[in-house]
Amino acid sequence: MIPDPLSVRRTSRPRGQCWTVPAILFVAAFLAVTFPAAARAQQGTVAGTVVNVETLEPVSGAQVTIEGTGLGTLTNSAGEFRITGVEGTNAMLRVQSIGYGTVTQQVRVGDTAIRITLGEEAIALDEIVVTGTPGAAQKRAIGNVVATIEAEDVMDVAPVGNLQELINGRVAGAVVLQSTGMVGSGSRIQLRGASSFSLSNAPLIYIDGIRTNSDQSTGPTNQGFGSNSISRFNDINPEDIASIEIIKGPAAATLYGTEASGGVIQIITKKGIAGEPRFNLKITQGANWFNDPQDRLWTNYAMVDGELESIDFNELEAAWGDDIFHTGHLQEYDLSARGGADAVSYYAAGGFVRNEGIEPENKLLRYNGRMNLTVRPNEKLDATLSLGYVAGRTDLVWESGAGGVTWSTYYATPANLGTPRHGFYSGTPESYYALVDTWQDLNRFTGSIQFNHRPTDWFTQRLAAGTDHTREQNVELFNRDDQYVFFDSFADRGYKDVLDRNSELMTLDYSGTLSFPVNDRLTSNTSFGAQYYRDYSEYISAYGEDFPVPGLTTIEAAAIQRGTEDYIENTTVGVFGQQQVAWNNRLFLTAGLRADDNSAFGEQFDIVYYPKVSASWVVSEEPFWNFGVVNQLRVRAAYGQSGQQPEAFAALRTFEPVPGPGDVGVVTPGTIGNPALGPERSEEIELGFDASMFDSRLGFEFTYYDQTTRDAILLRRIAPSSGFAGSQFVNAGEVTNSGLELVIDALPYRSEDVSWDLRFSIATNENEVVDLGDVTDEDFIQASSYIQHRLGYPIGSWFAREVVSADFDASGEAINIMCEGGPENNGEAVPCDVAPPVFLGRTSPRTQGAFSTTLTLFDNLQLFGLLDYKLDYSKLDGNERVRCALFLRCRANYFPEEFSPVLIAGYQELIPGTLIHDASFAKLRELSATYTIPQEWSGRIGTDELKVTVAGRNLGTWTNYDGLEPEATFHGGSRGGDFAIWEQNVIPQLRQFVVSVDIAF
C-alpha cells in the first residue's frame, strides 16, 4: 500500500526544527567571539553610570545611545554603561528608560566617568514610536494615542507565556476574549469594539515592519463548535520581543490603508547593541491545573430503577479509580546572545517549550529561533536583517459538541455507575485518549530586511521587505476499534480528516521624508511612500472513513475517500503622502492622504482614498504656562480613515463544476458576484490629552474616540430569475463605535530603599447598528443562534425569548408561561409561543480595564500584581442548557419547588433567555515576586545578573456568572466567530504556578 502523502504519523517531527535553532545559536556564538575583538579595536570610548536623580540609586536597563549613529548599549544592574568606537572629540549622548524622562547630554569622547541623572516621569512625550508614522517619531508629534508595552520589563516580573497574555490587561481598549484553558489554544483580540458584520474584526499584526499572519482561529476542521482553536498571534516567543506598539483605529491607521480598520499591533523584536557580548539563559518550570473542580463542578441527578440517584465529581473519580484531570508540567528554556561592534551588532536566540494541559493528550511542543543582525557601514546607512522560525506540534483534545473528557465528565450520570462507563456520560477518559487524536503541526518562517538611509541632513528614506510563510497541517483521527463499547458507529468505522494550509504574506514598503527648517521656529516634514502586500493561501484537504481493520491510519487505507484543493490570493498596492509642520517642537500639524487598490475590489470600483489630519500641542512648554502642579500637558486630536477589503472572491461571478451527461464535467451557476463591490470604510475622530502632575508623580492619558464604519459588507438575497441561487455581497451597512479610554500612572512613593508604582486603566465602548441598507425587509439580520445585528442595538447582540412569569401545577410542572413581549407588544407579556426575541445583552464588554502595581524593596525584590476586569456583556451557558434542559441532570429537574417557576419554565420549554447570563468578571490575573541576587553573591559564580521569579496566574475570579467560567467561549466552528460567546463543556482557564531563573553572563 502506498502511504498517503497527507497522512501524518503521531511520532513525526515538524520539518526543519532539528537544525534551525542550533544553527541560530551557532551563529550567535560565532558573533559573540568575533565582534568583541572588533569592538576593542575601535578608538574612542565613553562610559559612566546612570542613576536616579532623587535616590541616587543606579538605573539598570536604561538605553544609552550616541545620536546620529547606531552605537548604543544598555546599563547593567549597577547602572554602568560603556560604548566603544565613538568617532570625533565630542558626542551627543541620549539616555532613555521606562518611567524616566529622556536626557540628552554632550560628552567628551574618552571620558569614562560620565554621570547621568534621570528624573522619573509618569508620561514620556519624547518616547520614539514607529507604528502609524512614515518613520520613527516622538510621541509629542503624533495626534493620536499609541499604546506601548515594554515587553522586556513585563517579562522580567510577569508569568507571561504568549503574546495575547502579554497584551491582556495592559492596553486600554484592547479586549482579549479567552476561549478555553486548553494548552496551546488562543484568544480573540478586538480593539475598540467590532465594526464589521461579516469580515474579521481582528487587528493587523506586523513584526519588525512587515505584515504577518494574524489568523486567530486555526486548527483541525471537524470541531463542531470550535472551542480549541489555535491563534497565530502566539507563535512568536515573548522573550524575543523588545516592545509592542498598538494603534487602535482608523484615525491612527490611515497610512496602513485597506485592512487596517481594526487597528494595528506592531511587534518590535530585540536588536543587537554594540558592546561586549551578553548572554541570557532563562529556565522556567511550572504547573497547570484545574482549580477546585470538586466545588466548581455540579452534582448530576438521574432516575435509576425508579429511584432518584446523584453523582458528583468526587464520586465519579472514586468510581473511575483515578484522577480525571491531572496537573500538567510546564517547562521552557530560552538562551540568547546580544552584542557586537559599532559596524555590526546582533541578537540571536533559541528556545524550547513543552507545556502540558490537565489531560495527558493535551500538549504544546515548540522550538523557536531568532536572529537579528544590524549592519552600519557608515553613519548614513544601516540595515537590519530579522529572521524568525518556529516549529512544533500542538496536541489538542476533543471539546464542545464533538464530545471529549469534559463532555463525559460534566454530564456524568448515576445511571452509568456499575457499567463499563463508570458513571461517565459517553466514554471513559482512556477511551477518548485511545481512540481520538487531534493535532496541528506548524512550520513558520518570518524574514525581513530594513534599510534606513540618511544621504543628507534633510532627507531620510526607509525600505522594508519581507515574507511570512506558515505551513500548518491540521489532523483529526478517530481510530477504528472493533471492541468499541462507547462510540457506536464512529469507533465501528473510524475516520481521518487532514487539512494542509500553506500561507505566505509578502511586504514591500518604501517611505521617504524631506525635512527643512523654514525658519528658526518652523520646521517642515514632507513624507511619501508606497506599499505592496500579497497574501496567498493554499489549501489541500483529504478525508477518509471506514478503515477495514484496526491499526490503519492513512487516508489511502480508508474505504471512503475524498479530497479538495483550493487557493486564495489577495494583493494590495497603495501610495501615500503626508505633510507635517512643527512650531518650536511643541505644536505639530499633520495632513495626509493614502490611495489603495486591492484585487478583491469589483471591476467597476475605482481606487479608494483615505485622508487623515491631526494636531498635537505640548501646552506646558509654552512661555505662558505657569501651573506648577501640572508639569506636562499635551492636547491632541486626530481624524483619519482606513478600510477593510471584501473577501477574495466576493466580487466575482463564479461557476461550480458538476457531473454532466455521461459523467462529463460541466459547470453550473455559483455566485452572482458584484462588480461594484468595494471596501468597508471606517472613519474616526480621536481627541485626548496627556498630563503629568506633582513633579511627574501622577500621569494621565485620556482619549475619546468616535468611529463610523460605512459601506459595511452584507449579504442580500437575489431573485432566482437571475439564474444564480443564494445571495450577493453588497456595501450596505453602517456601524458606530464610541468610547472613552483613561490610563492613570502613579509613582506614589520613592525612597532609597522603597519604590511603589501603580497603574489603572478603564475603557468603554458604545456600539450601534445604524443602517442595514435594503438587504432585508426586517430591521435585523440573524448572525447565528440567538445573535442578531439589529438596528439601534450593538452589533452581534443576544436576542431570544425570555420567560417573565409562570406558575406551578400540583405536579411541579410550569404552567401559565408568559414571555417578554418587547416593543412590538408595548412591553406587555405574551404567551411564549408567539413571543418575539428580545434584547438580552451584548456579546462584547461595554467596559474593560485593569489595575496593576509594582513594589520594589531594597533594589532587589520586586512584587507585582495585575487584576483585569471586563463588564457588561453576556454569554450563553451551554453547560446549563445540556444538563438542565436537554439531559435533565439538574436538581431543578427533580425538586422544582426549590426554584423559581420562571427558571423551571425556561428549562421545560427550552427558552434561550433562561440560559443567557451576564458574564462580567474581575480576575487576579498575575501575581509574582522577583528577587535579584546581589552582585557580590552572583558574581562569585561568574554571572553579571541572577534573578529568580516565583509567579502565579489566574489566581482568583470575582463574578456573578453562574456557569463554570466567565471567560470560556467558543472561538471557531459553527458557533464561534467574532460574536459567539457560547460555553459548553469547555476547559476553564487553568491556574498556573511557575518558577523561573534568569541568568545574565
Side-chain angles (χ1 to χ4, degrees):
M1 180 176 294
I2 300 174
D4 188 332
L6 289 178
S7 67
V8 179
R9 293 180 59 86
R10 294 286 290 159
T11 57
S12 67
R13 179 179 297 171
R15 293 195 297 266
Q17 72 183 39
C18 298
W19 58 267
T20 304
V21 174
I24 288 177
L25 293 177
F26 172 79
V27 174
F30 173 79
L31 292 171
V33 171
T34 302
F35 286 108
R40 289 190 293 269
Q42 300 293 329
Q43 300 299 315
T45 299
V46 294
T49 307
V50 180
V51 298
N52 185 304
V53 69
E54 294 184 10
T55 65
L56 300 183
E57 290 294 313
V59 178
S60 63
Q63 186 174 13
V64 185
T65 57
I66 304 294
E67 289 194 341
T69 74
L71 300 177
T73 189
L74 298 176
T75 57
N76 61 19
S77 59
E80 300 168 337
F81 67 91
R82 175 177 291 270
I83 303 175
T84 61
V86 185
E87 299 179 355
T89 58
N90 294 292
M92 191 63 68
L93 205 63
R94 183 182 181 88
V95 184
Q96 294 176 284
S97 185
I98 300 301
Y100 293 88
T102 300
V103 170
T104 302
Q105 181 175 315
Q106 188 174 30
V107 297
R108 179 178 56 83
V109 176
D111 189 349
T112 58
I114 300 168
R115 184 181 178 85
I116 304 292
T117 58
L118 297 183
E120 293 173 291
E121 288 186 354
I123 63 172
L125 297 181
D126 293 330
E127 183 179 350
I128 302 296
V129 295
V130 297
T131 307
T133 65
Q138 291 180 319
K139 278 190 174 181
R140 65 167 56 229
I142 302 171
N144 54 266
V145 65
V146 179
T148 303
I149 300 173
E150 297 298 332
E152 292 187 77
D153 293 338
V154 173
M155 296 301 295
D156 277 345
V157 297
V160 171
N162 57 55
L163 175 63
Q164 291 176 323
E165 291 179 358
L166 188 59
I167 292 174
N168 184 56
R170 294 180 172 87
V171 177
V175 176
V176 179
L177 295 172
Q178 311 283 348
S179 54
T180 169
M182 190 184 306
V183 165
S185 64
S187 309
R188 287 186 285 127
I189 298 178
Q190 288 183 2
L191 304 177
R192 293 180 175 171
S195 60
S196 179
F197 298 102
S198 59
L199 302 177
S200 172
N201 288 285
L204 293 177
I205 301 295
Y206 280 70
I207 299 177
D208 292 333
I210 69 161
R211 190 174 294 186
T212 61
N213 191 328
S214 56
D215 195 336
Q216 297 188 92
S217 183
T218 74
T221 58
N222 200 28
Q223 283 295 327
F225 301 162
S227 58
N228 55 355
S229 297
I230 299 169
S231 173
R232 293 278 72 87
F233 279 50
N234 295 330
D235 290 342
I236 186 169
N237 185 3
E239 295 290 343
D240 293 333
I241 301 175
S243 63
I244 300 172
E245 295 177 359
I246 300 177
I247 55 177
K248 307 171 190 175
T254 296
L255 296 188
Y256 293 97
T258 302
E259 299 181 79
S261 59
V264 176
I265 297 176
Q266 173 104 247
I267 298 168
I268 301 167
T269 61
K270 295 177 181 178
K271 304 297 189 295
I273 297 177
E276 295 292 329
R278 180 183 176 94
F279 292 90
N280 270 85
L281 173 64
K282 188 171 185 179
I283 301 172
T284 301
Q285 300 289 314
N288 301 303
W289 69 93
F290 188 147
N291 182 53
D292 196 18
Q294 294 84 358
D295 293 329
R296 296 170 67 187
L297 294 179
W298 313 273
T299 297
N300 289 346
Y301 295 81
M303 297 298 295
V304 182
D305 297 329
E307 299 290 332
L308 182 64
E309 303 287 348
S310 67
I311 186 171
D312 62 19
F313 184 80
N314 290 324
E315 292 168 327
L316 185 64
E317 281 199 330
W320 166 235
D322 198 0
D323 293 334
I324 298 173
F325 299 118
H326 303 263
T327 297
H329 181 204
L330 180 157
Q331 54 184 318
E332 181 172 354
Y333 309 90
D334 295 284
L335 176 63
S336 66
R338 198 175 193 178
D342 56 321
V344 180
S345 58
Y346 59 88
Y347 171 81
F352 167 76
V353 177
R354 181 181 173 87
N355 200 349
E356 299 173 350
I358 60 173
E359 297 183 48
E361 293 294 295
N362 180 209
K363 298 183 290 292
L364 170 66
L365 179 66
R366 182 161 294 172
Y367 303 83
N368 57 79
R370 174 156 294 276
M371 166 62 74
N372 292 341
L373 187 67
T374 301
V375 180
R376 308 175 189 88
N378 55 59
E379 64 181 11
K380 294 184 177 182
L381 177 66
D382 63 76
T384 299
L385 177 68
S386 297
L387 305 175
Y389 178 78
V390 58
R393 167 168 289 182
T394 303
D395 285 286
L396 303 169
V397 294
W398 262 24
E399 272 189 359
S400 58
V405 175
T406 52
W407 173 269
S408 203
T409 299
Y410 295 179
Y411 312 135
T413 172
N416 286 340
L417 287 172
T419 75
R421 286 185 168 86
H422 298 287
F424 290 95
Y425 169 63
S426 50
T428 56
E430 88 276 8
S431 65
Y432 278 106
Y433 302 149
L435 293 182
V436 186
D437 293 312
T438 304
W439 72 91
Q440 180 185 87
D441 280 333
L442 172 71
N443 280 271
R444 182 175 181 182
F445 169 78
T446 305
S448 67
I449 186 166
Q450 180 170 300
F451 298 93
N452 293 292
H453 187 210
R454 301 167 289 275
T456 68
D457 292 340
W458 48 268
F459 178 52
T460 62
Q461 55 185 340
R462 179 185 66 186
L463 176 65
T467 183
D468 180 33
H469 186 93
T470 305
R471 179 183 181 271
E472 303 167 4
Q473 186 170 75
N474 302 288
V475 182
E476 183 175 289
L477 171 65
F478 204 116
N479 294 277
R480 174 171 178 149
D481 180 12
D482 284 346
Q483 305 301 316
Y484 71 91
V485 177
F486 311 114
F487 300 110
D488 299 329
S489 61
F490 271 159
D492 183 29
R493 305 177 67 185
Y495 70 84
K496 186 175 185 179
D497 196 353
V498 180
L499 173 64
D500 257 16
R501 185 175 80 152
N502 286 277
S503 68
E504 184 176 31
L505 281 82
M506 297 179 60
T507 300
L508 185 62
D509 186 344
Y510 171 82
S511 64
T513 300
L514 305 169
S515 300
F516 295 100
V518 178
N519 54 43
D520 292 342
R521 297 184 176 184
L522 186 65
T523 301
S524 170
N525 293 287
T526 304
S527 301
F528 53 90
Q531 290 84 31
Y532 168 83
Y533 303 113
R534 177 178 180 267
D535 186 352
Y536 176 85
S537 293
E538 182 179 79
Y539 302 84
I540 302 175
S541 67
Y543 176 82
E545 68 177 64
D546 196 358
F547 296 118
V549 295
L552 298 179
T553 59
T554 64
I555 290 175
E556 188 172 343
I560 301 172
Q561 303 172 21
R562 60 178 180 267
T564 62
E565 180 183 13
D566 203 357
Y567 76 92
I568 296 175
E569 183 175 12
N570 183 268
T571 303
T572 300
V573 177
V575 296
F576 74 87
Q578 176 177 292
Q579 176 63 47
Q580 182 182 84
V581 293
W583 179 264
N584 287 330
N585 199 37
R586 54 180 179 258
L587 176 61
F588 304 86
L589 302 175
T590 305
L593 181 68
R594 180 183 173 95
D596 265 3
D597 196 8
N598 184 277
S599 60
F601 296 167
E603 61 182 13
Q604 296 177 9
F605 186 87
D606 206 350
I607 293 173
V608 62
Y609 296 92
Y610 302 115
K612 66 171 286 188
V613 292
S614 69
S616 176
W617 184 21
V618 186
V619 184
S620 56
E621 294 182 2
E622 293 290 352
F624 63 76
W625 188 262
N626 190 24
F627 298 90
V629 173
V630 181
N631 311 108
Q632 292 178 297
L633 176 65
R634 175 176 75 121
V635 294
R636 47 184 165 77
Y639 166 83
Q641 295 184 9
S642 62
Q644 181 83 297
Q645 88 279 2
E647 293 182 356
F649 301 117
L652 299 178
R653 178 166 296 187
T654 63
F655 296 86
E656 302 292 335
V658 294
D663 288 332
V664 176
V666 297
V667 295
T668 188
T671 59
I672 192 170
N674 182 357
L677 189 65
E680 299 184 346
R681 295 174 60 96
S682 296
E683 64 178 4
E684 182 181 57
I685 296 173
E686 185 180 300
L687 307 172
F689 68 86
D690 308 300
S692 64
M693 305 172 64
F694 307 114
D695 295 325
S696 293
R697 293 298 184 90
L698 184 64
F700 297 88
E701 179 186 275
F702 173 82
T703 302
Y704 165 78
Y705 66 92
D706 191 339
Q707 181 186 130
T708 300
T709 298
R710 296 184 174 87
D711 297 332
I713 295 175
L714 294 168
L715 278 171
R716 177 173 58 197
R717 289 190 176 276
I718 56 176
S721 59
S722 67
F724 289 81
S727 304
Q728 179 186 44
F729 288 101
V730 294
N731 296 108
E734 183 174 333
V735 180
T736 62
N737 281 279
S738 63
L740 305 174
E741 297 167 354
L742 175 64
V743 179
I744 302 175
D745 285 299
L747 316 170
Y749 186 78
R750 281 291 185 273
S751 70
E752 184 175 348
D753 295 325
V754 179
S755 63
W756 183 26
D757 300 339
L758 297 171
R759 165 169 277 214
F760 172 79
S761 68
I762 184 171
T764 66
N765 175 262
E766 297 294 336
N767 181 282
E768 183 180 347
V769 177
V770 177
D771 192 4
L772 293 174
D774 61 350
V775 301
T776 176
D777 295 331
E778 307 287 345
D779 63 351
F780 69 90
I781 294 175
Q782 196 75 34
S784 62
S785 301
Y786 318 125
I787 295 177
Q788 294 180 1
H789 306 310
R790 183 181 285 263
L791 289 175
Y793 290 89
I795 187 172
S797 292
W798 290 110
F799 278 87
R801 294 179 299 154
E802 183 176 34
V803 180
V804 294
S805 66
D807 299 310
F808 283 134
D809 65 10
S811 64
E813 292 287 316
I815 59 173
N816 303 326
I817 304 171
M818 301 291 284
C819 281
E820 173 68 43
E824 301 93 325
N825 297 286
N826 299 316
E828 298 291 331
V830 298
C832 290
D833 58 351
V834 296
V838 296
F839 176 70
L840 296 176
R842 298 163 52 109
T843 55
S844 62
R846 185 191 303 270
T847 304
Q848 62 91 25
F851 172 79
S852 63
T853 182
T854 304
L855 180 65
T856 304
L857 304 174
F858 308 105
D859 257 359
N860 292 102
L861 178 62
Q862 277 189 306
L863 305 177
F864 170 79
L866 170 67
L867 181 147
D868 66 275
Y869 59 91
K870 296 177 177 66
L871 309 176
D872 195 10
Y873 77 108
S874 300
K875 59 182 283 190
L876 190 147
D877 188 349
N879 292 321
E880 183 182 15
R881 171 179 174 269
V882 174
R883 291 181 58 251
C884 304
L886 299 181
F887 289 176
L888 307 183
R889 298 274 195 272
C890 296
R891 185 174 180 84
N893 302 129
Y894 302 97
F895 300 93
E897 68 279 3
E898 299 178 7
F899 300 86
S900 162
V902 170
L903 179 69
I904 300 303
Y907 294 158
Q908 182 179 303
E909 303 299 322
L910 193 55
I911 294 177
T914 306
L915 310 170
I916 297 170
H917 309 298
D918 178 60
S920 302
F921 72 91
K923 182 161 289 196
L924 181 55
R925 186 70 65 182
E926 298 165 0
L927 197 63
S928 70
T930 301
Y931 184 70
T932 303
I933 308 298
Q935 178 62 36
E936 58 267 25
W937 298 351
S938 61
R940 295 176 183 175
I941 58 174
T943 66
D944 294 330
E945 189 173 61
L946 177 59
K947 294 181 179 180
V948 179
T949 299
V950 178
R953 186 170 188 84
N954 298 324
L955 299 177
T957 303
W958 295 265
T959 183
N960 290 324
Y961 179 66
D962 292 329
L964 181 60
E965 169 63 75
E967 286 194 283
T969 61
F970 294 158
H971 193 179
S974 60
R975 292 182 182 171
D978 284 346
F979 307 108
I981 309 299
W982 184 302
E983 172 193 4
Q984 181 177 301
N985 62 286
V986 175
I987 294 173
Q989 295 300 303
L990 301 181
R991 183 164 290 184
Q992 185 182 94
F993 176 81
V994 298
V995 177
S996 63
V997 178
D998 194 345
I999 306 168
F1001 52 94

